[in-house]
Amino acid sequence: MGKGPGLYTEIGKKARDLLYKDYQTDHKFTLTTSSPTGVAITSAGTKKGELFLADVNTQLKNKNVTTDIKVDTYSNLYTTITVDQPAPGLKAIFSFRVPDQRSGKVELQYLHEYAGISSSIGLTANPIVNLSGVIGTNVLALGTDLSFDTKTGNFTKCNAGLSFSNVDLIASLTLNEKGDSLNASYYHIVNPMTNTAVGAEVTHSFSTNENTITIGTQHALDPLTMVKARVNNAGNASALIQHEWRPRSLFTISGEVDTKSIDKSAKVGLALALKP
């Protein structure tokens, strides 16, 4: 475990990654090339049914400044400039999208041994202000996540979370959607030698009185091959196998089936990530 409680986005992240990361039903190809001067170019293409989406991202690193420039299928230009450690524990992020003149945003992140704070503000006349903070340690942490619309004078987001961690398990409890949704997640390392872990997530909506339950597991067949599986109370079952066939290059096959409608064909996704 790292030092400090981290940022609010890290509450429940281990369980979310186990249950949702790398699962997909699309076909995706990613190629990353880099140069000794610190320039990396990533080209990605995704086929969603009959729709094909592509983007090209260029990353430039100069000391503690990282600049990311991405162009997508619709000719949108995304730029993010990250300054790491301008002061101890501090990170500054400036981002904008062309041609959207209202997309500019400045974000500051601060990590301390007993706190993690993130704040951002839109560069408009009536910006949305985001503020999240976590206090505690790497064992027990309590945090909140707020968004305030200065134009309407209303809070657009008001969440709170609690996290408990030890050597082999992480449990979290969050209250979302302005108190309408309660989410509990659990992540447990069964065998660190084989990267075997189990996880579960339960979400209750107070307005609809509905529960969503998802459980999953992962296991490393060997140092280069990982398998994962999950199922939820709606009857959707998914599985994937991911193989690192060369350093940093991954091939992933995932599938999903509706166990309540076996007559429907399964959804299959493929992902290939190459980093020569």
Side-chain angles (χ1 to χ4, degrees), residues 145-158:
D145 184 21
L146 306 172
S147 290
F148 181 75
D149 190 337
T150 59
K151 184 177 182 179
T152 63
N154 296 323
F155 282 97
T156 58
K157 181 170 63 175
C158 185

Side-chain angles (χ1 to χ4, degrees), residues 52-241:
F52 183 80
L53 303 174
D55 61 70
V56 178
N57 183 84
T58 301
Q59 184 180 83
L60 303 93
K61 292 185 177 181
N62 182 19
K63 297 181 180 179
N64 65 331
V65 179
T66 302
T67 303
D68 289 278
I69 302 172
K70 184 174 76 170
V71 180
D72 66 12
T73 304
Y74 303 104
S75 299
N76 292 309
L77 178 66
Y78 301 84
T79 302
T80 303
I81 301 172
T82 303
V83 182
D84 197 20
Q85 298 281 353
L90 187 67
K91 178 184 289 187
I93 303 170
F94 171 62
S95 62
F96 62 91
R97 176 167 62 92
V98 177
D100 187 357
Q101 298 178 354
R102 296 173 53 86
S103 63
K105 185 174 71 171
V106 174
E107 179 179 357
L108 292 176
Q109 298 177 359
Y110 176 70
L111 292 176
H112 183 268
E113 189 175 357
Y114 299 108
I117 300 172
S118 176
S119 64
S120 67
I121 183 170
L123 301 180
T124 63
N126 299 292
I128 292 178
V129 180
N130 300 285
L131 176 65
S132 66
V134 180
I135 59 173
T137 65
N138 58 349
V139 176
L140 184 64
L142 175 67
T144 186
D145 184 21
L146 306 172
S147 290
F148 181 75
D149 190 337
T150 59
K151 184 177 182 179
T152 63
N154 296 323
F155 282 97
T156 58
K157 181 170 63 175
C158 185
N159 303 330
L162 175 69
S163 176
F164 172 78
S165 307
N166 70 9
V167 177
D168 60 356
L169 71 86
I170 301 174
S172 66
L173 185 69
T174 57
L175 189 63
N176 306 313
E177 306 295 336
K178 299 181 181 179
D180 182 63
S181 176
L182 183 66
N183 178 282
S185 66
Y186 177 78
Y187 174 86
H188 177 60
I189 300 174
V190 179
N191 187 343
M193 298 297 294
T194 58
N195 201 14
T196 303
V198 295
E201 182 182 67
V202 179
T203 302
H204 176 75
S205 173
F206 294 102
S207 59
T208 62
N209 200 32
E210 293 182 350
N211 295 316
T212 302
I213 303 171
T214 305
I215 59 174
T217 185
Q218 69 177 29
H219 174 72
L221 299 177
D222 57 54
L224 302 177
T225 308
M226 171 73 70
V227 291
K228 296 174 65 175
R230 71 179 184 195
V231 65
N232 61 25
N233 61 330
N236 296 319
S238 305
L240 70 80
I241 181 169

Side-chain angles (χ1 to χ4, degrees), residues 22-27 47-49 230 232 235-241 252-259 261-271:
D22 295 324
Y23 286 100
Q24 63 176 8
T25 56
D26 306 316
H27 297 166
K47 186 175 184 297
K48 297 177 176 286
R230 71 179 184 195
N232 61 25
N236 296 319
S238 305
L240 70 80
I241 181 169
T252 307
I253 302 177
S254 58
E256 179 180 301
V257 62
D258 186 349
T259 60
S261 301
I262 300 297
D263 55 317
K264 295 182 180 180
S265 59
K267 299 177 181 179
V268 179
L270 299 173

